[in-house]
Amino acid sequence: MMLTKLRPNEWARIVAIEGGYGLRQKLALRGIVEGVVVRMISSYGPVTIEVNRNVVSIGRGMAMRIRVVRV
């Protein structure tokens, strides 16, 4: 499932990032890499997630390229 399908306060593990080098680099700089566990805070407007105790907001287009599995 894609990251945008999570509900608020659900936890998930990132299993794949379906994008090129530029997208992967932008996400990696924010701590969003494969294998990391994230918590959805809000998916209304920009997608806001918690990654390694940091709150990060990313655009819906980026979020729709992140494949996750619920934990």
Side-chain angles (χ1 to χ4, degrees):
M1 83 171 11
M2 298 318 233
L3 181 64
T4 54
K5 300 295 183 187
L6 289 177
R7 295 175 188 245
N9 290 319
E10 279 190 324
W11 292 85
R13 179 178 310 276
I14 297 175
V15 294
I17 298 174
E18 300 171 351
Y21 176 76
L23 175 67
R24 289 174 175 271
Q25 184 178 20
K26 286 179 184 180
L27 293 174
L29 290 173
R30 291 161 177 80
I32 303 170
V33 293
E34 293 175 5
V36 172
V37 176
V38 299
R39 180 175 69 95
M40 175 63 76
I41 296 174
S42 171
S43 62
Y44 183 74
V47 176
T48 306
I49 57 175
E50 179 184 333
V51 182
N52 298 329
R53 295 188 177 183
N54 294 316
V55 177
V56 178
S57 290
I58 59 175
R60 292 191 70 76
M62 283 184 170
M64 291 176 68
R65 293 178 176 261
I66 301 172
R67 188 169 300 278
V68 298
V69 53
R70 284 190 184 104
V71 181

